[in-house]
């Protein structure tokens, strides 16, 4: 079904009855599934395989057709959502309720552009940030020693870049050797099935602006297309006022 046709159906949906629990309309499910899949740079076939459903079933879902609840629960599980995300009946919020700040489920969400961490310029950009946070995708990837090792190397690079000429004769070696170590470490991560992307967000929530480097890491079993991602959806609360690694993303 063309996107415009689905949009027309979404616009034409009747207003929900106030105070009455209701199932989520298939048109809203279709829009949510399609957008979530595209944000993760997953093909339809990838999501179908991850969810253990047929490609034709997923195509029906994204067309806004009704399918068995089990298929929707499998889709939700593949995305890492809580059970019943697409199938549980819920009371819809009225427009006046949606206007209340406490009912906005996304007040702290930011969309960060990302790309693979694959060259020296990107490493310098990341190391030059005021704060670097880890955004695990689909749960903390294993082995965690590779993840922590990457952040240790980035911290060393940040120190070397900040110190500049003062460390020319240091026993730590030159920058060229440090870059080689980092790229070798990233190769080890890829061999273990871990993909790494990064982006930079300007955070102004604490008063003075600061550059926050966001590193998204996922195992290919949890996110097969992590290196193809263009954006990460990050909760700003996980890095506002933080002084160390630790964020969550999707």
């Amino acid at each position: 079904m063309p996107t415009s046709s689905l949009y027309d159906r979404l616009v034409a949906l009747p207003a929900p009855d106030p105070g009455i629990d209701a199932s989520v309309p298939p048109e809203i499910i279709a829009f949510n599934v399609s957008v979530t899949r595209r944000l993760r740079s997953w093909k339809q076939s990838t999501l179908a395989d991850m969810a253990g459903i047929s490609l034709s079933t997923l195509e029906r879902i994204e067309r806004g057709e009704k399918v068995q609840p089990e298929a929707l629960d499998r889709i939700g599980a593949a995305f890492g959502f809580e059970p019943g995300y697409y199938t549980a009946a819920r009371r819809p919020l009225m427009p006046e309720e949606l206007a209340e700040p406490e009912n906005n489920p996304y007040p702290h969400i930011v969309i960060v552009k990302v790309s693979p961490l694959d060259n020296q310029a990107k490493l310098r950009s990341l190391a030059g940030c005021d704060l670097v946070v880890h955004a695990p995708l689909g749960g903390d990837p294993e082995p965690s020693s590779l993840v922590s090792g990457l952040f240790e190397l980035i911290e060393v690079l940040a120190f070397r870049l900040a110190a500049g000429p003062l460390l020319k004769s240091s026993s730590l070696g030159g920058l060229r050797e440090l870059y080689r170590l980092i790229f070798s470490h990233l190769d080890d991560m890829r061999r273990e099935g871990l993909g790494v992307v990064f982006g930079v967000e300007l955070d102004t929530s604490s008063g003075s602006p600061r550059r926050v480097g966001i590193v998204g890491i996922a195992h290919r079993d949890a996110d097969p297309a992590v290196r193809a991602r263009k954006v990460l959806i990050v909760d700003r609360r996980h890095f506002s006022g933080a002084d160390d690694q630790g964020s969550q993303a999707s």
Side-chain angles (χ1 to χ4, degrees), residues 78-159:
F79 284 147
F81 297 154
E82 68 273 13
Y85 184 86
Y86 291 122
T87 56
R90 63 199 69 186
R91 185 183 71 83
L93 296 177
M94 297 296 100
E96 58 273 16
E97 293 178 293
L98 288 171
E100 297 296 329
E102 63 268 21
N103 288 328
N104 181 359
Y106 309 114
H108 305 287
I109 295 300
V110 292
I111 297 178
V112 181
K113 292 182 179 180
V114 296
S115 62
L117 189 59
D118 56 9
N119 62 47
Q120 290 186 13
K122 293 178 181 179
L123 285 172
R124 287 193 297 270
S125 176
L126 180 60
C129 289
D130 301 301
L131 174 69
V132 176
V133 296
H134 172 205
L137 310 172
D140 282 314
E142 295 291 346
S144 59
S145 59
L146 285 174
V147 176
S148 60
L150 175 63
F151 283 94
E152 289 171 4
L153 287 169
I154 292 171
E155 186 176 351
V156 172
L157 178 60
F159 173 71

Side-chain angles (χ1 to χ4, degrees), residues 1 9 26-27 30 56-57 59-67 72:
M1 173 183 296
R9 289 171 56 194
E27 293 84 0
S56 61
T57 297
E59 290 172 340
R60 290 177 58 205
I61 291 171
E62 293 197 2
R63 288 197 300 264
E65 299 179 13
K66 289 185 177 181
V67 299
L72 297 176

Side-chain angles (χ1 to χ4, degrees), residues 112-116 122 197-200 214 216 226-232:
V112 181
K113 292 182 179 180
V114 296
S115 62
K122 293 178 181 179
V197 294
F198 99 106
V200 177
I214 298 169
V226 59
R227 283 176 55 82
R229 281 205 181 206
K230 304 300 182 186
V231 297
L232 291 182

Side-chain angles (χ1 to χ4, degrees), residues 15-27:
D17 292 328
I20 298 178
D21 287 356
S23 299
V24 181
E27 293 84 0

Side-chain angles (χ1 to χ4, degrees), residues 3-16 25 27-28:
T3 303
S4 58
S5 177
L6 179 60
Y7 177 76
D8 291 340
R9 289 171 56 194
L10 282 166
V11 172
L13 286 174
E27 293 84 0
I28 293 179

Side-chain angles (χ1 to χ4, degrees), residues 190-213:
R190 279 193 290 272
R191 282 191 287 271
E192 291 295 330
L194 297 175
V196 182
V197 294
F198 99 106
V200 177
E201 171 70 11
L202 184 63
D203 176 34
T204 59
S205 60
S206 58
S208 57
R210 61 177 181 171
R211 294 175 73 246
V212 179

